[in-house]
Amino acid sequence: MVDIQACINQAEKTCRLQGLILTTKRKLILTALLQVKKAVSAYELVELLETQFKESLAPMSIYRILAFLEKCHLVHKLNIANKYVACAGILNEQPHETSQLFFCQLCQRVDEVKLEPSKSSDLDNKAKQFGYQILSSHIELNCMCNACLR
């Protein structure tokens, strides 16, 4: 089980080290993502905030907050589904590394696995070899979890 308060405390520290502030609304969005344990869209967050926290935020505000949290490596955007999930490594004080995100297209569950540094380096070298620069710190894999396959 995730210690949400420990994650929020570490997120505040991470932001402070970057000269940024984890405001009350940013904490609220991050807390919601940590609690929900699956990928959610900004519009799903609007509903979640209203039902779980009795808070109302406009979708554009949520998108801005999500962009901030993504920039700070506290959340991941799943481009394949236009949804967001809290980073599994928030409590890790080490620099953010490349990870694989296994995304179940049915239940929206996401599992994050750190990519071995040698494999990450291999991917970076291949990208450079073909004239690309990797922009994302994660690899998204569209999957179905075993529970949904049953």
Side-chain angles (χ1 to χ4, degrees), residues 93-135:
E93 293 189 28
Q94 302 301 316
H96 196 270
E97 297 178 7
T98 302
S99 58
Q100 298 169 324
L101 300 174
F102 297 98
F103 171 68
C104 179
Q105 63 184 7
L106 291 180
C107 69
Q108 313 297 292
R109 186 180 112 197
V110 178
D111 285 297
E112 181 177 350
V113 179
K114 282 171 81 172
L115 195 62
E116 294 175 24
S118 63
K119 290 182 180 180
S120 179
S121 180
D122 287 345
L123 284 172
D124 193 45
N125 290 335
K126 283 288 184 197
K128 287 177 182 170
Q129 178 183 344
F130 286 96
Y132 292 92
Q133 175 142 358
I134 296 176
L135 301 176

mmCIF file of all heavy atoms in Angstrom, residues 93-135:
data_model
loop_
_atom_site.group_PDB
_atom_site.id
_atom_site.type_symbol
_atom_site.label_atom_id
_atom_site.label_comp_id
_atom_site.label_asym_id
_atom_site.label_seq_id
_atom_site.Cartn_x
_atom_site.Cartn_y
_atom_site.Cartn_z
ATOM 1 N N GLU A 93 14.565 9.072 -4.185
ATOM 2 C CA GLU A 93 15.249 10.360 -4.270
ATOM 3 C C GLU A 93 16.261 10.409 -5.407
ATOM 4 O O GLU A 93 16.879 11.436 -5.637
ATOM 5 C CB GLU A 93 15.924 10.682 -2.935
ATOM 6 C CG GLU A 93 14.921 10.917 -1.827
ATOM 7 C CD GLU A 93 15.563 11.445 -0.560
ATOM 8 O OE1 GLU A 93 16.601 12.111 -0.638
ATOM 9 O OE2 GLU A 93 14.994 11.189 0.514
ATOM 10 N N GLN A 94 16.434 9.312 -6.114
ATOM 11 C CA GLN A 94 17.371 9.267 -7.234
ATOM 12 C C GLN A 94 16.756 9.970 -8.441
ATOM 13 O O GLN A 94 15.544 10.110 -8.538
ATOM 14 C CB GLN A 94 17.691 7.808 -7.596
ATOM 15 C CG GLN A 94 18.278 7.002 -6.465
ATOM 16 C CD GLN A 94 19.564 7.587 -5.932
ATOM 17 O OE1 GLN A 94 20.420 7.990 -6.693
ATOM 18 N NE2 GLN A 94 19.691 7.662 -4.623
ATOM 19 N N PRO A 95 17.587 10.382 -9.400
ATOM 20 C CA PRO A 95 17.048 11.000 -10.617
ATOM 21 C C PRO A 95 16.086 10.039 -11.320
ATOM 22 O O PRO A 95 16.271 8.820 -11.284
ATOM 23 C CB PRO A 95 18.292 11.243 -11.478
ATOM 24 C CG PRO A 95 19.441 11.225 -10.533
ATOM 25 C CD PRO A 95 19.048 10.333 -9.397
ATOM 26 N N HIS A 96 15.091 10.607 -11.944
ATOM 27 C CA HIS A 96 14.075 9.801 -12.628
ATOM 28 C C HIS A 96 14.700 9.074 -13.807
ATOM 29 O O HIS A 96 15.438 9.658 -14.584
ATOM 30 C CB HIS A 96 12.939 10.702 -13.104
ATOM 31 C CG HIS A 96 11.718 9.947 -13.458
ATOM 32 N ND1 HIS A 96 11.489 9.484 -14.719
ATOM 33 C CD2 HIS A 96 10.675 9.547 -12.706
ATOM 34 C CE1 HIS A 96 10.345 8.841 -14.735
ATOM 35 N NE2 HIS A 96 9.823 8.862 -13.528
ATOM 36 N N GLU A 97 14.411 7.796 -13.904
ATOM 37 C CA GLU A 97 14.959 6.982 -14.979
ATOM 38 C C GLU A 97 13.853 6.547 -15.923
ATOM 39 O O GLU A 97 12.674 6.687 -15.626
ATOM 40 C CB GLU A 97 15.662 5.757 -14.388
ATOM 41 C CG GLU A 97 16.849 6.126 -13.517
ATOM 42 C CD GLU A 97 17.517 4.928 -12.892
ATOM 43 O OE1 GLU A 97 17.158 3.778 -13.228
ATOM 44 O OE2 GLU A 97 18.406 5.139 -12.063
ATOM 45 N N THR A 98 14.255 5.974 -17.045
ATOM 46 C CA THR A 98 13.298 5.470 -18.018
ATOM 47 C C THR A 98 12.559 4.276 -17.421
ATOM 48 O O THR A 98 13.147 3.426 -16.770
ATOM 49 C CB THR A 98 14.017 5.051 -19.315
ATOM 50 O OG1 THR A 98 14.725 6.184 -19.824
ATOM 51 C CG2 THR A 98 13.043 4.557 -20.354
ATOM 52 N N SER A 99 11.260 4.237 -17.643
ATOM 53 C CA SER A 99 10.457 3.138 -17.135
ATOM 54 C C SER A 99 9.505 2.638 -18.205
ATOM 55 O O SER A 99 9.228 3.329 -19.182
ATOM 56 C CB SER A 99 9.679 3.565 -15.887
ATOM 57 O OG SER A 99 8.859 4.669 -16.176
ATOM 58 N N GLN A 100 9.044 1.424 -17.999
ATOM 59 C CA GLN A 100 8.027 0.830 -18.861
ATOM 60 C C GLN A 100 6.709 0.923 -18.113
ATOM 61 O O GLN A 100 6.647 0.608 -16.927
ATOM 62 C CB GLN A 100 8.339 -0.641 -19.148
ATOM 63 C CG GLN A 100 9.632 -0.858 -19.870
ATOM 64 C CD GLN A 100 10.016 -2.334 -19.901
ATOM 65 O OE1 GLN A 100 9.781 -3.075 -18.962
ATOM 66 N NE2 GLN A 100 10.624 -2.741 -20.990
ATOM 67 N N LEU A 101 5.671 1.353 -18.819
ATOM 68 C CA LEU A 101 4.348 1.427 -18.222
ATOM 69 C C LEU A 101 3.465 0.401 -18.905
ATOM 70 O O LEU A 101 3.194 0.499 -20.101
ATOM 71 C CB LEU A 101 3.759 2.828 -18.392
ATOM 72 C CG LEU A 101 4.556 3.966 -17.762
ATOM 73 C CD1 LEU A 101 3.945 5.308 -18.126
ATOM 74 C CD2 LEU A 101 4.628 3.807 -16.253
ATOM 75 N N PHE A 102 3.060 -0.613 -18.150
ATOM 76 C CA PHE A 102 2.144 -1.625 -18.659
ATOM 77 C C PHE A 102 0.730 -1.125 -18.389
ATOM 78 O O PHE A 102 0.332 -0.998 -17.223
ATOM 79 C CB PHE A 102 2.385 -2.969 -17.971
ATOM 80 C CG PHE A 102 3.752 -3.533 -18.241
ATOM 81 C CD1 PHE A 102 4.782 -3.363 -17.326
ATOM 82 C CD2 PHE A 102 4.003 -4.221 -19.410
ATOM 83 C CE1 PHE A 102 6.038 -3.878 -17.576
ATOM 84 C CE2 PHE A 102 5.263 -4.746 -19.668
ATOM 85 C CZ PHE A 102 6.276 -4.566 -18.757
ATOM 86 N N PHE A 103 -0.033 -0.832 -19.437
ATOM 87 C CA PHE A 103 -1.351 -0.213 -19.321
ATOM 88 C C PHE A 103 -2.424 -1.185 -19.793
ATOM 89 O O PHE A 103 -2.438 -1.600 -20.943
ATOM 90 C CB PHE A 103 -1.394 1.062 -20.178
ATOM 91 C CG PHE A 103 -2.759 1.669 -20.310
ATOM 92 C CD1 PHE A 103 -3.392 2.237 -19.226
ATOM 93 C CD2 PHE A 103 -3.409 1.672 -21.531
ATOM 94 C CE1 PHE A 103 -4.648 2.805 -19.353
ATOM 95 C CE2 PHE A 103 -4.664 2.231 -21.672
ATOM 96 C CZ PHE A 103 -5.289 2.793 -20.577
ATOM 97 N N CYS A 104 -3.324 -1.578 -18.872
ATOM 98 C CA CYS A 104 -4.437 -2.451 -19.247
ATOM 99 C C CYS A 104 -5.521 -1.589 -19.883
ATOM 100 O O CYS A 104 -6.086 -0.708 -19.228
ATOM 101 C CB CYS A 104 -5.000 -3.192 -18.038
ATOM 102 S SG CYS A 104 -6.407 -4.250 -18.491
ATOM 103 N N GLN A 105 -5.803 -1.859 -21.139
ATOM 104 C CA GLN A 105 -6.770 -1.036 -21.857
ATOM 105 C C GLN A 105 -8.201 -1.229 -21.373
ATOM 106 O O GLN A 105 -9.058 -0.404 -21.656
ATOM 107 C CB GLN A 105 -6.673 -1.285 -23.359
ATOM 108 C CG GLN A 105 -7.013 -2.694 -23.774
ATOM 109 C CD GLN A 105 -6.796 -2.916 -25.256
ATOM 110 O OE1 GLN A 105 -6.283 -2.064 -25.958
ATOM 111 N NE2 GLN A 105 -7.205 -4.072 -25.729
ATOM 112 N N LEU A 106 -8.464 -2.290 -20.605
ATOM 113 C CA LEU A 106 -9.823 -2.510 -20.102
ATOM 114 C C LEU A 106 -10.056 -1.870 -18.736
ATOM 115 O O LEU A 106 -10.972 -1.073 -18.569
ATOM 116 C CB LEU A 106 -10.150 -4.001 -20.057
ATOM 117 C CG LEU A 106 -10.299 -4.685 -21.414
ATOM 118 C CD1 LEU A 106 -10.619 -6.157 -21.247
ATOM 119 C CD2 LEU A 106 -11.376 -3.999 -22.236
ATOM 120 N N CYS A 107 -9.244 -2.214 -17.742
ATOM 121 C CA CYS A 107 -9.486 -1.706 -16.388
ATOM 122 C C CYS A 107 -8.682 -0.447 -16.069
ATOM 123 O O CYS A 107 -8.860 0.143 -15.019
ATOM 124 C CB CYS A 107 -9.198 -2.790 -15.352
ATOM 125 S SG CYS A 107 -7.460 -3.228 -15.174
ATOM 126 N N GLN A 108 -7.782 -0.049 -16.969
ATOM 127 C CA GLN A 108 -6.972 1.167 -16.831
ATOM 128 C C GLN A 108 -5.862 1.054 -15.787
ATOM 129 O O GLN A 108 -5.235 2.049 -15.437
ATOM 130 C CB GLN A 108 -7.837 2.396 -16.527
ATOM 131 C CG GLN A 108 -9.064 2.557 -17.400
ATOM 132 C CD GLN A 108 -8.726 2.765 -18.860
ATOM 133 O OE1 GLN A 108 -8.173 3.790 -19.221
ATOM 134 N NE2 GLN A 108 -9.040 1.803 -19.707
ATOM 135 N N ARG A 109 -5.635 -0.158 -15.272
ATOM 136 C CA ARG A 109 -4.546 -0.365 -14.312
ATOM 137 C C ARG A 109 -3.213 -0.115 -15.006
ATOM 138 O O ARG A 109 -3.044 -0.427 -16.176
ATOM 139 C CB ARG A 109 -4.597 -1.804 -13.788
ATOM 140 C CG ARG A 109 -3.590 -2.069 -12.687
ATOM 141 C CD ARG A 109 -3.679 -3.494 -12.212
ATOM 142 N NE ARG A 109 -2.436 -4.158 -12.615
ATOM 143 C CZ ARG A 109 -2.283 -5.467 -12.662
ATOM 144 N NH1 ARG A 109 -3.281 -6.266 -12.375
ATOM 145 N NH2 ARG A 109 -1.132 -5.979 -13.009
ATOM 146 N N VAL A 110 -2.277 0.444 -14.257
ATOM 147 C CA VAL A 110 -0.941 0.708 -14.786
ATOM 148 C C VAL A 110 0.080 0.176 -13.794
ATOM 149 O O VAL A 110 -0.020 0.430 -12.600
ATOM 150 C CB VAL A 110 -0.701 2.220 -15.010
ATOM 151 C CG1 VAL A 110 0.710 2.472 -15.516
ATOM 152 C CG2 VAL A 110 -1.723 2.798 -15.973
ATOM 153 N N ASP A 111 1.048 -0.554 -14.308
ATOM 154 C CA ASP A 111 2.184 -0.978 -13.501
ATOM 155 C C ASP A 111 3.433 -0.396 -14.132
ATOM 156 O O ASP A 111 3.636 -0.496 -15.346
ATOM 157 C CB ASP A 111 2.272 -2.510 -13.437
ATOM 158 C CG ASP A 111 1.211 -3.086 -12.523
ATOM 159 O OD1 ASP A 111 1.253 -2.783 -11.320
ATOM 160 O OD2 ASP A 111 0.326 -3.817 -13.021
ATOM 161 N N GLU A 112 4.246 0.217 -13.297
ATOM 162 C CA GLU A 112 5.473 0.871 -13.762
ATOM 163 C C GLU A 112 6.680 0.045 -13.355
ATOM 164 O O GLU A 112 6.818 -0.331 -12.193
ATOM 165 C CB GLU A 112 5.572 2.275 -13.158
ATOM 166 C CG GLU A 112 6.786 3.036 -13.602
ATOM 167 C CD GLU A 112 6.815 4.457 -13.050
ATOM 168 O OE1 GLU A 112 5.812 4.921 -12.475
ATOM 169 O OE2 GLU A 112 7.870 5.091 -13.204
ATOM 170 N N VAL A 113 7.550 -0.237 -14.322
ATOM 171 C CA VAL A 113 8.755 -1.014 -14.079
ATOM 172 C C VAL A 113 9.942 -0.213 -14.603
ATOM 173 O O VAL A 113 9.942 0.229 -15.755
ATOM 174 C CB VAL A 113 8.687 -2.380 -14.807
ATOM 175 C CG1 VAL A 113 9.945 -3.179 -14.572
ATOM 176 C CG2 VAL A 113 7.453 -3.154 -14.382
ATOM 177 N N LYS A 114 10.930 -0.024 -13.732
ATOM 178 C CA LYS A 114 12.136 0.694 -14.165
ATOM 179 C C LYS A 114 12.853 -0.108 -15.241
ATOM 180 O O LYS A 114 12.991 -1.321 -15.129
ATOM 181 C CB LYS A 114 13.076 0.916 -12.987
ATOM 182 C CG LYS A 114 12.655 2.053 -12.084
ATOM 183 C CD LYS A 114 13.481 2.104 -10.833
ATOM 184 C CE LYS A 114 14.802 2.775 -10.998
ATOM 185 N NZ LYS A 114 15.501 2.973 -9.718
ATOM 186 N N LEU A 115 13.274 0.576 -16.266
ATOM 187 C CA LEU A 115 14.053 -0.050 -17.321
ATOM 188 C C LEU A 115 15.518 -0.092 -16.876
ATOM 189 O O LEU A 115 16.037 0.896 -16.340
ATOM 190 C CB LEU A 115 13.911 0.765 -18.619
ATOM 191 C CG LEU A 115 14.349 0.122 -19.904
ATOM 192 C CD1 LEU A 115 13.525 -1.117 -20.202
ATOM 193 C CD2 LEU A 115 14.198 1.113 -21.052
ATOM 194 N N GLU A 116 16.157 -1.218 -17.071
ATOM 195 C CA GLU A 116 17.567 -1.336 -16.702
ATOM 196 C C GLU A 116 18.371 -0.263 -17.423
ATOM 197 O O GLU A 116 18.134 0.005 -18.603
ATOM 198 C CB GLU A 116 18.103 -2.714 -17.085
ATOM 199 C CG GLU A 116 17.481 -3.849 -16.316
ATOM 200 C CD GLU A 116 17.957 -5.204 -16.817
ATOM 201 O OE1 GLU A 116 19.052 -5.285 -17.408
ATOM 202 O OE2 GLU A 116 17.227 -6.175 -16.616
ATOM 203 N N PRO A 117 19.320 0.384 -16.720
ATOM 204 C CA PRO A 117 20.097 1.460 -17.351
ATOM 205 C C PRO A 117 20.754 1.060 -18.671
ATOM 206 O O PRO A 117 20.807 1.852 -19.599
ATOM 207 C CB PRO A 117 21.150 1.802 -16.290
ATOM 208 C CG PRO A 117 20.510 1.410 -14.995
ATOM 209 C CD PRO A 117 19.674 0.199 -15.323
ATOM 210 N N SER A 118 21.216 -0.190 -18.773
ATOM 211 C CA SER A 118 21.867 -0.620 -20.023
ATOM 212 C C SER A 118 20.854 -0.640 -21.178
ATOM 213 O O SER A 118 21.180 -0.264 -22.303
ATOM 214 C CB SER A 118 22.514 -1.990 -19.858
ATOM 215 O OG SER A 118 21.539 -2.974 -19.575
ATOM 216 N N LYS A 119 19.621 -1.065 -20.900
ATOM 217 C CA LYS A 119 18.595 -1.093 -21.945
ATOM 218 C C LYS A 119 18.170 0.317 -22.316
ATOM 219 O O LYS A 119 17.934 0.617 -23.490
ATOM 220 C CB LYS A 119 17.399 -1.916 -21.501
ATOM 221 C CG LYS A 119 17.714 -3.392 -21.418
ATOM 222 C CD LYS A 119 16.516 -4.212 -21.033
ATOM 223 C CE LYS A 119 16.929 -5.682 -20.970
ATOM 224 N NZ LYS A 119 15.851 -6.553 -20.609
ATOM 225 N N SER A 120 18.097 1.181 -21.336
ATOM 226 C CA SER A 120 17.761 2.575 -21.595
ATOM 227 C C SER A 120 18.840 3.224 -22.458
ATOM 228 O O SER A 120 18.546 3.955 -23.407
ATOM 229 C CB SER A 120 17.619 3.333 -20.274
ATOM 230 O OG SER A 120 17.317 4.669 -20.497
ATOM 231 N N SER A 121 20.069 2.929 -22.128
ATOM 232 C CA SER A 121 21.198 3.455 -22.896
ATOM 233 C C SER A 121 21.182 2.921 -24.326
ATOM 234 O O SER A 121 21.438 3.655 -25.285
ATOM 235 C CB SER A 121 22.507 3.096 -22.199
ATOM 236 O OG SER A 121 23.603 3.581 -22.921
ATOM 237 N N ASP A 122 20.861 1.630 -24.483
ATOM 238 C CA ASP A 122 20.756 1.025 -25.815
ATOM 239 C C ASP A 122 19.681 1.723 -26.649
ATOM 240 O O ASP A 122 19.888 2.006 -27.826
ATOM 241 C CB ASP A 122 20.431 -0.469 -25.724
ATOM 242 C CG ASP A 122 21.610 -1.306 -25.251
ATOM 243 O OD1 ASP A 122 22.758 -0.797 -25.259
ATOM 244 O OD2 ASP A 122 21.371 -2.474 -24.873
ATOM 245 N N LEU A 123 18.538 1.987 -26.027
ATOM 246 C CA LEU A 123 17.461 2.686 -26.740
ATOM 247 C C LEU A 123 17.902 4.080 -27.159
ATOM 248 O O LEU A 123 17.633 4.518 -28.287
ATOM 249 C CB LEU A 123 16.214 2.781 -25.866
ATOM 250 C CG LEU A 123 15.391 1.521 -25.712
ATOM 251 C CD1 LEU A 123 14.303 1.725 -24.668
ATOM 252 C CD2 LEU A 123 14.772 1.107 -27.039
ATOM 253 N N ASP A 124 18.575 4.780 -26.257
ATOM 254 C CA ASP A 124 19.042 6.128 -26.560
ATOM 255 C C ASP A 124 20.041 6.105 -27.718
ATOM 256 O O ASP A 124 19.972 6.925 -28.634
ATOM 257 C CB ASP A 124 19.667 6.747 -25.310
ATOM 258 C CG ASP A 124 19.883 8.236 -25.454
ATOM 259 O OD1 ASP A 124 18.959 8.928 -25.942
ATOM 260 O OD2 ASP A 124 20.964 8.717 -25.067
ATOM 261 N N ASN A 125 20.955 5.133 -27.687
ATOM 262 C CA ASN A 125 21.949 5.014 -28.766
ATOM 263 C C ASN A 125 21.286 4.681 -30.098
ATOM 264 O O ASN A 125 21.667 5.233 -31.142
ATOM 265 C CB ASN A 125 22.997 3.949 -28.415
ATOM 266 C CG ASN A 125 23.907 4.393 -27.295
ATOM 267 O OD1 ASN A 125 24.103 5.581 -27.057
ATOM 268 N ND2 ASN A 125 24.462 3.434 -26.576
ATOM 269 N N LYS A 126 20.312 3.780 -30.094
ATOM 270 C CA LYS A 126 19.585 3.441 -31.327
ATOM 271 C C LYS A 126 18.854 4.654 -31.881
ATOM 272 O O LYS A 126 18.846 4.895 -33.084
ATOM 273 C CB LYS A 126 18.586 2.298 -31.086
ATOM 274 C CG LYS A 126 19.198 0.944 -31.014
ATOM 275 C CD LYS A 126 19.645 0.507 -32.389
ATOM 276 C CE LYS A 126 20.179 -0.906 -32.309
ATOM 277 N NZ LYS A 126 20.976 -1.272 -33.460
ATOM 278 N N ALA A 127 18.215 5.407 -30.992
ATOM 279 C CA ALA A 127 17.497 6.605 -31.428
ATOM 280 C C ALA A 127 18.463 7.575 -32.101
ATOM 281 O O ALA A 127 18.173 8.096 -33.191
ATOM 282 C CB ALA A 127 16.804 7.267 -30.247
ATOM 283 N N LYS A 128 19.618 7.797 -31.484
ATOM 284 C CA LYS A 128 20.621 8.706 -32.054
ATOM 285 C C LYS A 128 21.139 8.180 -33.386
ATOM 286 O O LYS A 128 21.360 8.945 -34.328
ATOM 287 C CB LYS A 128 21.767 8.919 -31.075
ATOM 288 C CG LYS A 128 21.371 9.787 -29.900
ATOM 289 C CD LYS A 128 22.494 9.925 -28.897
ATOM 290 C CE LYS A 128 22.011 10.757 -27.713
ATOM 291 N NZ LYS A 128 22.939 10.745 -26.611
ATOM 292 N N GLN A 129 21.325 6.866 -33.476
ATOM 293 C CA GLN A 129 21.804 6.242 -34.705
ATOM 294 C C GLN A 129 20.864 6.526 -35.875
ATOM 295 O O GLN A 129 21.305 6.717 -37.003
ATOM 296 C CB GLN A 129 21.942 4.731 -34.485
ATOM 297 C CG GLN A 129 22.391 3.946 -35.688
ATOM 298 C CD GLN A 129 22.412 2.442 -35.382
ATOM 299 O OE1 GLN A 129 22.386 2.023 -34.237
ATOM 300 N NE2 GLN A 129 22.455 1.639 -36.425
ATOM 301 N N PHE A 130 19.572 6.565 -35.592
ATOM 302 C CA PHE A 130 18.586 6.804 -36.647
ATOM 303 C C PHE A 130 18.168 8.271 -36.746
ATOM 304 O O PHE A 130 17.239 8.605 -37.474
ATOM 305 C CB PHE A 130 17.353 5.912 -36.426
ATOM 306 C CG PHE A 130 17.606 4.475 -36.778
ATOM 307 C CD1 PHE A 130 17.959 3.563 -35.795
ATOM 308 C CD2 PHE A 130 17.526 4.029 -38.095
ATOM 309 C CE1 PHE A 130 18.216 2.232 -36.114
ATOM 310 C CE2 PHE A 130 17.778 2.707 -38.420
ATOM 311 C CZ PHE A 130 18.126 1.803 -37.430
ATOM 312 N N GLY A 131 18.849 9.137 -35.986
ATOM 313 C CA GLY A 131 18.579 10.563 -36.090
ATOM 314 C C GLY A 131 17.435 11.054 -35.225
ATOM 315 O O GLY A 131 16.761 12.023 -35.585
ATOM 316 N N TYR A 132 17.228 10.423 -34.078
ATOM 317 C CA TYR A 132 16.163 10.831 -33.163
ATOM 318 C C TYR A 132 16.736 11.184 -31.801
ATOM 319 O O TYR A 132 17.808 10.716 -31.428
ATOM 320 C CB TYR A 132 15.139 9.701 -32.949
ATOM 321 C CG TYR A 132 14.311 9.382 -34.155
ATOM 322 C CD1 TYR A 132 14.715 8.399 -35.059
ATOM 323 C CD2 TYR A 132 13.131 10.054 -34.402
ATOM 324 C CE1 TYR A 132 13.953 8.094 -36.168
ATOM 325 C CE2 TYR A 132 12.361 9.761 -35.513
ATOM 326 C CZ TYR A 132 12.781 8.781 -36.386
ATOM 327 O OH TYR A 132 12.017 8.489 -37.486
ATOM 328 N N GLN A 133 15.981 11.966 -31.055
ATOM 329 C CA GLN A 133 16.277 12.224 -29.641
ATOM 330 C C GLN A 133 15.037 11.821 -28.856
ATOM 331 O O GLN A 133 13.932 12.274 -29.157
ATOM 332 C CB GLN A 133 16.583 13.691 -29.405
ATOM 333 C CG GLN A 133 16.776 13.986 -27.957
ATOM 334 C CD GLN A 133 17.865 14.989 -27.695
ATOM 335 O OE1 GLN A 133 18.516 15.458 -28.602
ATOM 336 N NE2 GLN A 133 18.069 15.305 -26.445
ATOM 337 N N ILE A 134 15.219 10.982 -27.848
ATOM 338 C CA ILE A 134 14.099 10.511 -27.041
ATOM 339 C C ILE A 134 13.613 11.652 -26.153
ATOM 340 O O ILE A 134 14.404 12.291 -25.462
ATOM 341 C CB ILE A 134 14.510 9.280 -26.207
ATOM 342 C CG1 ILE A 134 14.847 8.114 -27.150
ATOM 343 C CG2 ILE A 134 13.407 8.897 -25.225
ATOM 344 C CD1 ILE A 134 15.362 6.875 -26.469
ATOM 345 N N LEU A 135 12.306 11.892 -26.175
ATOM 346 C CA LEU A 135 11.715 12.989 -25.414
ATOM 347 C C LEU A 135 10.975 12.531 -24.168
ATOM 348 O O LEU A 135 10.765 13.308 -23.251
ATOM 349 C CB LEU A 135 10.745 13.783 -26.306
ATOM 350 C CG LEU A 135 11.352 14.398 -27.563
ATOM 351 C CD1 LEU A 135 10.266 15.059 -28.398
ATOM 352 C CD2 LEU A 135 12.445 15.382 -27.204
#
